[in-house]
Amino acid sequence: MESIKQNFITIVILLFIGTSNTEGYFIYFLLAGIAITLVSGVLSWVVFRYRVHEDELQIKKGVLVKSNMYLSKDRIQVIDITEGLLQRMFGLVKVEVKTAGGGTETATISAISRGDAEALRSELRKKRSANGEGEEEAEEVYEEEEVLGQWKLSTKDLVFAAFTSGNFGLIASILGAVSGQMDEFINEETIEYVYEALPGYSDVTLIVGIVIAIIVISWALSFLGVIFKYSDFQLEKTSKELIITSGLVERKHITVPFDRIQAVRFVEGVIRQPFGYGMLYVESAGFDQTQKGRSIVLVPFIASSNISSFLAEFLEEYKEPEYQIRPPRRTLWRYIRRPNYFVLPLIPIAWYLMEYGWLSLLIIPLLGYLGWMRYQDAALGLGDKILRMRYRVVSRTTAIVKRNRIQNAETSQNPFQENKDIRNLTVTAASGAGGMGFETADLSSPDTSKVLKWLMNEPLEEEEGEVSRPAQTE
């Protein structure tokens, strides 16, 4: 079944394409393909072997091409246990053991019993933490599993999170693209039928109706997606790790060791920010090696006013330093202008080609306002060991990174910035198969030098001749 699931999209595409061009013969090819996939899946299951030997998780698999995978306990970042709908019916779960390092394959055990999965996770954690010293270690592992803190997403917050999810924009764009391929169903005859059935409709009202329908359907799908994904969300803290459990149809259990966390990121979307809420992530190298920058949702919906107390309880090392550095005031117009750079050449074209193209002028003040918000939000704070960095693209992001977890820091400067003695600063923390970059634009050069000195653990000196915008009370 896992093989069919992995090839589900391909099968659906072939169904649509093949049935229209092969005069019925395609169904036999499809059934043969499914049969081969099933046989291949059974053989893969028969030859699949795994064991924990000393400090390694060893996996042997492959029917024609055999492969042996060895994962050292020291490199394990995340242990993810998933219960899909079909797996639940048979009392099985899927275990994914993810390691650090770009390009490293995730070790996946597609179907084992829940008890075996828990035993495997305990064995991997015990080896990782105890270094193998007999019975005393078992007691140590037992202490690790004691729950020291717990956080749950209430039903009220789950519904509010679903209402304010920003995913419907992405879903709407997908539906819009799909609707463009529906010429077979939406043609002149269909439109004439709608006009006759609904007198008073015009081209404009029809287009507006379609747009509203796409938005409503997208929002409904987004709402259900959040409900399914974060139902019964629970976060538990033990002495060594965080355990995240969530999901209605597919239930996931993600284990994140504290020593593998690279950064914390709080994202306030444009819909949630006015209500004072956002989503909290942790960056962990090795989480989903196939997707660069993939983050773990630590809390799907939390008030910004509760972030400090939450971190104090669950990630006490991530204390938020006060903001001390902001872009200087002379960069305000750069911030306001920058979002318009890409649309200004397009406005004359739209004005010339479209009847109401002049309405595109309204984009300029909207993007200018976005630039002003970016200027207001840009800020950095340096603590003893923590960098706090806030910036905005569309959503507002606050990143909290330990100094020893920063992979690299980079400053950049174009000729226009050189004239004003300002630079962009980018800090990267390990996340997924690559890294997660955090960037603040147009900081004064002395301030970027101050941050680089802090990263090098050098004494900070007050720079002369440069005045940063005063820090504001948060």
Side-chain angles (χ1 to χ4, degrees):
M1 296 305 293
E2 184 69 18
S3 299
I4 293 179
K5 180 181 175 182
Q6 291 174 352
N7 294 283
F8 180 75
I9 300 297
T10 304
I11 293 172
V12 171
I13 293 174
L14 290 176
L15 269 175
F16 277 99
I17 296 176
T19 51
S20 60
N21 297 305
T22 57
E23 299 179 352
Y25 290 103
F26 173 78
I27 191 66
Y28 297 107
F29 293 104
L30 180 64
L31 291 175
I34 293 175
I36 293 172
T37 303
L38 284 173
V39 172
S40 173
V42 171
L43 290 176
S44 298
W45 175 76
V46 169
V47 300
F48 187 91
R49 296 285 186 275
Y50 78 91
R51 69 169 183 169
V52 178
H53 179 65
E54 296 182 349
D55 292 338
E56 289 182 334
L57 170 63
Q58 301 176 355
I59 295 179
K60 297 182 179 182
K61 62 182 180 179
V63 180
L64 298 178
V65 179
K66 299 183 182 300
S67 67
N68 299 322
M69 180 182 292
Y70 302 94
L71 298 183
S72 169
K73 63 174 181 64
D74 293 329
R75 299 184 62 214
I76 293 175
Q77 298 279 335
V78 176
I79 302 172
D80 187 354
I81 299 177
T82 305
E83 299 175 75
L85 190 59
L86 285 175
Q87 289 161 326
R88 281 192 195 181
M89 293 171 61
F90 296 98
L92 301 173
V93 299
K94 179 173 73 175
V95 178
E96 294 175 274
V97 181
K98 298 162 183 175
T99 61
T104 304
E105 186 177 355
T106 298
T108 301
I109 303 172
S110 300
I112 61 173
S113 69
R114 175 77 190 185
D116 287 344
E118 293 292 350
L120 174 61
R121 182 168 66 176
S122 298
E123 186 68 18
L124 293 174
R125 288 187 304 179
K126 181 173 67 176
K127 283 180 174 295
R128 184 173 62 250
S129 59
N131 295 324
E133 292 184 84
E135 295 181 358
E136 293 181 1
E137 295 163 22
E139 294 179 1
E140 185 178 346
V141 171
Y142 176 78
E143 290 177 359
E144 288 176 13
E145 294 180 346
E146 182 182 356
V147 177
L148 303 176
Q150 191 177 59
W151 188 94
K152 291 184 177 181
L153 183 66
S154 67
T155 302
K156 176 183 175 184
D157 282 349
L158 174 63
V159 173
F160 203 4
F163 266 111
T164 57
S165 172
N167 294 332
F168 74 90
L170 175 62
I171 297 174
S173 63
I174 294 173
L175 287 178
V178 172
S179 66
Q181 307 302 318
M182 300 291 288
D183 294 344
E184 186 174 343
F185 303 99
I186 304 176
N187 48 35
E188 291 186 4
E189 293 181 357
T190 307
I191 294 174
E192 289 178 2
Y193 175 79
V194 171
Y195 284 164
E196 293 176 0
L198 300 171
Y201 261 64
S202 64
D203 289 344
V204 174
T205 54
L206 181 62
I207 292 173
V208 172
I210 291 174
V211 170
I212 292 175
I214 289 177
I215 292 174
V216 171
I217 293 172
S218 303
W219 180 84
L221 292 176
S222 172
F223 182 90
L224 292 175
V226 173
I227 295 293
F228 286 150
K229 189 172 183 179
Y230 297 117
S231 284
D232 199 18
F233 185 96
Q234 177 177 288
L235 172 68
E236 291 181 336
K237 175 189 175 184
T238 67
S239 61
K240 295 289 184 181
E241 59 202 11
L242 295 172
I243 302 172
I244 303 165
T245 307
S246 71
L248 185 60
V249 177
E250 185 180 71
R251 190 148 185 81
K252 286 196 170 188
H253 307 260
I254 302 174
T255 304
V256 188
F258 287 121
D259 58 356
R260 305 303 187 192
I261 294 176
Q262 309 294 312
V264 178
R265 185 164 55 99
F266 182 59
V267 179
E268 300 165 89
V270 292
I271 300 177
R272 289 177 177 173
Q273 188 185 348
F275 298 100
Y277 286 86
M279 183 178 286
L280 191 66
Y281 299 86
V282 291
E283 309 298 339
S284 176
F287 184 74
D288 201 336
Q289 299 286 357
T290 60
Q291 298 187 37
K292 181 180 179 181
R294 181 74 182 272
S295 307
I296 302 172
V297 175
L298 187 61
V299 178
F301 192 73
I302 184 171
S304 55
S305 58
N306 293 334
I307 289 296
S308 296
S309 59
F310 176 87
L311 293 177
E313 181 178 357
F314 289 94
L315 293 167
E316 59 269 16
E317 292 181 291
Y318 286 82
K319 296 177 181 177
E320 304 165 284
E322 294 292 328
Y323 292 123
Q324 304 141 1
I325 300 173
R326 294 174 183 271
R329 286 193 176 90
R330 53 194 162 85
T331 63
L332 171 60
W333 284 109
R334 287 185 57 82
Y335 269 88
I336 292 176
R337 292 197 309 264
R338 187 179 290 114
N340 282 296
Y341 287 162
F342 293 104
V343 298
L344 285 176
L346 301 177
I347 289 176
I349 299 174
W351 197 334
Y352 178 75
L353 296 178
M354 301 172 66
E355 184 177 0
Y356 296 100
W358 59 271
L359 289 175
S360 59
L361 288 170
L362 297 176
I363 296 175
I364 295 177
L366 291 176
L367 292 181
Y369 179 68
L370 174 63
W372 180 81
M373 292 174 65
R374 288 179 179 177
Y375 173 76
Q376 292 294 324
D377 291 330
L380 285 88
L382 302 176
D384 291 338
K385 298 179 180 178
I386 297 290
L387 168 66
R388 185 185 185 191
M389 194 169 185
R390 193 177 68 186
Y391 61 95
R392 176 189 293 274
V393 179
V394 177
S395 301
R396 187 167 75 173
T397 298
T398 303
I400 307 171
V401 194
K402 286 185 181 178
R403 173 162 46 196
N404 60 0
R405 294 296 188 182
I406 293 175
Q407 301 293 309
N408 61 66
E410 178 182 351
T411 63
S412 60
Q413 186 181 50
N414 60 42
F416 300 104
Q417 290 176 311
E418 188 174 2
N419 289 335
K420 291 184 174 293
D421 195 23
I422 55 178
R423 295 173 180 270
N424 299 334
L425 174 68
T426 304
V427 172
T428 303
S431 177
M436 174 65 71
F438 313 112
E439 180 178 289
T440 302
D442 295 337
L443 297 172
S444 70
S445 294
D447 280 341
T448 58
S449 299
K450 183 178 180 181
V451 176
L452 295 179
K453 283 184 179 180
W454 178 85
L455 287 171
M456 298 295 292
N457 207 14
E458 295 179 4
L460 301 181
E461 299 176 357
E462 293 295 330
E463 302 288 345
E464 296 181 358
E466 181 64 32
V467 179
S468 298
R469 191 155 52 99
Q472 299 174 358
T473 302
E474 299 301 322

